Amino acid sequence: MFDFSIFTKWLDALMLSVMPEWLTLIIECVLVALGIITLYAIFAMVMIYVERKFCAFVQCRLGPDRVGPWGTIQVVCDVLKMLTKEIFSPRKTDRFLHGLAPFLVITASMTTFACLPWNKGAQILDFNVGVFFFLAVGSIGVVGILLAGWSANNKYSIIGAMRAGAQIISYELSIGITMLTMICLAGTMSFSEICQAQADGGWFIFRGHIVAVAAFILYLIAGNAECNRGPFDLPESESELTAGYHTEYSGMDFGYYYLAEYLNLFICAGMASTIFLGGWAPFVIPGLDGFNEIMTMIPGFVWFLGKVFFVLFLLLWERWTFPRLRIDQILKLEWKYLVPISMVLLVLMALCVSFGLTF
Amino acid sequence: MANKTYFAGLVGGIKSLCTGLGVTFRELWTPKVTERYPENRKENIIPERFRGTLVMPHNENNEHKCIGCGICQMQCPNDSIEVVTEMVETEDGKKKKILKQHIYDQGKCMYCMICTRACPQGAIEFAPEYECAVFDRQALVKTLNQPGSKCAEKPKPAKPAAPAAPAAKPAAAEPNGAAPAATPVAPAADDKKAKMEAAAKKAEENAAAAKAAAEEALKAAEAAPEDAALKAAAEEAQAKAAKLATVAANFQKKLAEM
């Protein structure tokens, strides 16, 4: 498995040899930021295309197929349209908060995006409390959503924002507990160490067997609710609230929410593949050396993206199957079902780990 | 879910969710219904009954069936049809109205199909043509009869051919004579309602008789499946019965309106 940190260390050493340390740091920061933003934009476009195609196929349609081969240029056109639209904010809005809200959402989304382990050694944010950091930064997004609803001075926006608040804060609980279940198994909160442990000893979803599979499903449900998607798209339920909390946004301000929504989905899938499916760790079966060698030859980022798109498939499949829940049903699902079950799973996992019942 | 226990509700809910997932997963692989319109215009099949535009079919001798009665013009709720006729004298000295121009303004048409239903000759019908957009509204005004066309001579009324079905023959032949006799009664009479009632009754009797005859013919045909003539006769008798049933229903409808 190629270690990407060899390349970054070489680059770092090369720049240090010709320029002072502070300049190296600045250049590296800019490069990393450019990398994040580029990947962010590319993946947002890919996701939008995938989602539109998938939803079309579920509904027995073909989806976009007019612009470019199989409609692949359609998303580019949509992005250009979004970029050229007027940014408009209605009278009687709280201008400052109205302008600030999308940036909070996009910042939260981009920072969590930077936590994803793309390859061995190719991780932007990695430290010993990575999972904790991920959860903490991820919840800034809800502040942006609440501000968007509040500042717009619009009943639909505020209803959507309140729903989003109630829903996201509730579901963060079960996300946290399911992640804790897996941390229990991993024994570390650092994403790189979690991935390394899975590369050395097998994916956690296999090592944690039944409990891990249950936690995986629970994580997918809660993650979907965190992204305001699927059956949990109440905050923007377009049939009742026009567009929910981003009703009063236009142009790229709206585009930020749109981007963040899709990227949050990507991040949710990325986290699921990191803590359950091994991140960049290849699929190996102990004993089959020839097979394992071939699997190890596939680069890590291909593994990671493959897993992410597999989880994305599950999320999209579920999103285009189930009808929207009501707000009381959403809260009932969380507080009466997901939280108790995830707590039971946490206890079970702790028992499994302490009695050595994991693989 | 309220009257179920916690775990029964949970398991039931998961089961029903899995059913839904199964449905969408199957649907992912089914053939898609999307029509790629401009590319598929060659193989695009428009249903026969699609009301695209009004046409007047002409046969190979450039003859149409329109007799210029103007019923379609009178029936049209939108005034989209104008029938221009002229009186000519035939060879045997009779005066006859012939069609000069059948003008149809598609821009006004609402595709209700009343005109084609009202036409006593079946001279006009809707064609499944769908690329009707034009740049000038005047281009929507069409003359349906082709230049130099004329009304086709009426073909002789077809004889009820049932040579090999002795059971069907008398019954099927009788209503054929009776139904046309009943038809002209309705419009001309003074005591309309009474006569209409009589006509309706008669039409219904005819229909019932024809139906019975058709059933008998069908039985005969089933008894001897190798006999093609019997089968044809049975089919014809059935068609007649259906037609007479519609006539009877029409009478009932008119009666109800009076």
Side-chain angles (χ1 to χ4, degrees):
Chain A
M1 178 104 340
F2 176 69
D3 192 344
F4 196 75
S5 60
I6 297 169
F7 171 72
T8 47
K9 276 187 187 132
W10 169 77
L11 195 69
D12 188 47
L14 184 75
M15 282 201 284
L16 272 178
S17 63
V18 292
M19 56 184 85
E21 200 180 346
W22 59 269
L23 192 59
T24 313
L25 208 60
I26 289 176
I27 291 177
E28 279 171 4
C29 283
V30 169
L31 281 179
V32 165
L34 279 179
I36 295 183
I37 291 170
T38 316
L39 280 177
Y40 197 87
I42 289 171
F43 277 109
M45 279 165 35
V46 171
M47 297 277 314
I48 291 168
Y49 179 73
V50 168
E51 157 125 76
R52 290 184 68 179
K53 275 287 181 195
F54 188 92
C55 113
F57 272 65
V58 168
Q59 295 165 352
C60 219
R61 300 183 284 116
L62 284 175
D65 76 331
R66 296 287 92 179
V67 196
W70 303 289
T72 37
I73 313 294
Q74 180 70 53
V75 188
V76 181
C77 299
D78 285 348
V79 168
L80 289 178
K81 180 199 76 173
M82 195 83 85
L83 285 170
T84 51
K85 270 188 166 178
E86 184 194 355
I87 295 179
F88 171 81
S89 107
R91 238 183 304 156
K92 291 191 178 173
T93 51
D94 187 329
R95 284 290 163 86
F96 175 67
L97 294 183
H98 197 69
L100 178 68
F103 290 99
L104 280 178
V105 172
I106 202 97
T107 309
S109 175
M110 278 194 177
T111 321
T112 44
F113 185 67
C115 290
L116 297 177
W118 293 90
N119 197 346
K120 188 173 181 173
Q123 198 167 359
I124 296 156
L125 290 178
D126 178 33
F127 42 97
N128 55 358
V129 285
V131 175
F132 191 63
F133 174 77
F134 171 80
L135 288 174
V137 173
S139 46
I140 293 177
V142 71
V143 179
I145 289 173
L146 280 174
L147 279 187
W150 176 256
S151 63
N153 202 8
N154 173 324
K155 60 182 179 237
Y156 297 131
S157 297
I158 191 71
I159 293 172
M162 292 320 287
R163 284 177 178 183
Q167 172 185 327
I168 294 177
I169 292 169
S170 304
Y171 278 81
E172 232 150 51
L173 207 62
S174 40
I175 283 210
I177 297 176
T178 44
M179 279 189 152
L180 210 57
T181 312
M182 298 321 284
I183 290 165
C184 203
L185 183 59
T188 171
M189 272 191 171
S190 150
F191 284 121
S192 62
E193 279 172 38
I194 287 176
C195 287
Q196 193 58 52
Q198 296 184 80
D200 296 339
W203 300 359
F204 283 156
I205 197 163
F206 300 128
R207 278 163 73 180
H209 51 88
I210 303 166
V211 184
V213 171
F216 180 61
I217 294 166
L218 226 64
Y219 177 84
L220 288 186
I221 297 171
N224 222 18
E226 277 282 285
C227 302
N228 296 333
R229 280 174 54 84
F232 313 107
D233 57 348
L234 272 171
E236 41 180 285
S237 46
E238 68 278 357
S239 47
E240 328 160 18
L241 299 180
T242 58
Y245 57 86
H246 54 60
T247 304
E248 296 293 5
Y249 284 95
S250 68
M252 211 45 217
D253 272 359
F254 164 73
Y256 285 146
Y257 287 107
Y258 200 57
L259 278 178
E261 185 191 325
Y262 280 99
L263 256 295
N264 283 341
L265 184 68
F266 185 88
I267 293 159
C268 170
M271 264 312 127
S273 43
T274 306
I275 58 174
F276 293 96
L277 305 176
W280 46 261
F283 179 72
V284 286
I285 302 170
L288 293 175
D289 287 336
F291 174 79
N292 292 351
E293 227 162 85
I294 297 169
M295 289 290 132
T296 324
M297 264 152 69
I298 300 171
F301 67 92
V302 175
W303 274 110
F304 180 70
L305 284 181
K307 288 167 192 173
V308 168
F309 278 97
F310 167 70
V311 178
L312 274 178
F313 166 75
L314 295 181
L315 289 173
L316 286 175
W317 179 18
E318 167 267 357
R319 189 248 181 283
W320 290 104
T321 303
F322 300 138
R324 184 184 301 142
L325 291 162
R326 223 165 43 209
I327 184 73
D328 63 314
Q329 289 169 333
I330 281 190
L331 295 179
K332 191 169 129 191
L333 175 68
E334 165 68 6
W335 292 103
K336 282 180 75 177
Y337 293 96
L338 296 191
V339 168
I341 292 172
S342 57
M343 282 173 170
V344 169
L345 287 180
L346 178 59
V347 172
L348 279 180
M349 183 58 95
L351 287 176
C352 281
V353 170
S354 52
F355 287 105
L357 294 175
T358 55
F359 296 109
Chain B
M1 217 185 251
N3 48 8
K4 280 187 195 162
T5 60
Y6 180 83
F7 289 105
L10 185 64
V11 172
I14 291 172
K15 262 189 202 159
S16 81
L17 291 181
C18 288
T19 313
L21 286 174
V23 169
T24 41
F25 192 76
R26 275 199 303 282
E27 204 57 47
L28 264 182
W29 315 105
T30 51
K32 306 300 170 222
V33 295
T34 308
E35 299 280 358
R36 300 178 133 115
Y37 163 56
E39 290 94 343
N40 74 351
R41 12 150 82 117
K42 291 252 161 51
E43 65 266 26
N44 198 8
I45 300 160
I46 298 294
E48 221 175 278
R49 287 169 59 199
F50 179 72
R51 302 171 189 179
T53 181
L54 193 64
V55 291
M56 183 179 281
H58 288 61
N59 64 10
E60 65 277 7
N61 302 327
N62 200 14
E63 288 172 338
H64 54 75
K65 289 191 207 152
C66 180
I67 52 170
C69 63
I71 289 177
C72 50
Q73 182 182 354
M74 284 186 277
Q75 292 288 333
C76 181
N78 279 8
D79 253 352
S80 57
I81 295 176
E82 193 188 347
V83 179
V84 184
T85 55
E86 65 181 349
M87 289 300 241
V88 290
E89 208 158 296
T90 53
E91 285 161 19
D92 44 351
K94 277 183 186 163
K95 273 195 172 173
K96 197 183 173 191
K97 201 183 195 181
I98 61 158
L99 179 73
K100 212 172 158 196
Q101 266 188 316
H102 191 287
I103 301 167
Y104 164 61
D105 186 353
Q106 199 178 1
K108 286 184 192 167
C109 182
M110 66 173 190
Y111 308 96
C112 60
M113 238 173 128
I114 288 176
C115 53
T116 61
R117 288 214 182 100
C119 182
Q121 302 295 319
I124 46 177
E125 60 186 41
F126 271 97
E129 222 171 82
Y130 58 95
E131 288 173 325
C132 296
V134 287
F135 284 103
D136 184 6
R137 216 182 295 165
Q138 278 308 306
L140 290 171
V141 183
K142 298 166 186 168
T143 304
L144 295 188
N145 55 327
Q146 289 168 7
S149 63
K150 63 179 172 47
C151 184
E153 291 300 317
K154 222 178 186 181
K156 279 167 196 161
K159 285 244 167 96
K169 204 173 173 185
E174 188 201 342
N176 188 38
T183 329
V185 172
D190 281 350
D191 192 1
K192 254 186 173 172
K193 185 145 187 177
K195 288 205 173 170
M196 193 71 141
E197 260 167 7
K201 211 170 171 190
K202 185 123 195 194
E204 237 166 284
E205 277 168 17
N206 287 341
K211 200 178 168 197
E215 269 165 14
E216 262 183 58
L218 200 62
K219 262 184 209 158
E222 269 168 14
E226 68 284 352
D227 195 340
L230 263 183
K231 206 175 164 197
E235 269 167 16
E236 201 166 319
Q238 266 179 319
K240 185 157 286 163
K243 206 169 172 186
L244 283 173
T246 2
V247 170
N250 278 345
F251 270 116
Q252 285 296 336
K253 215 159 114 194
K254 273 185 196 158
L255 208 57
E257 278 168 11
M258 277 168 82

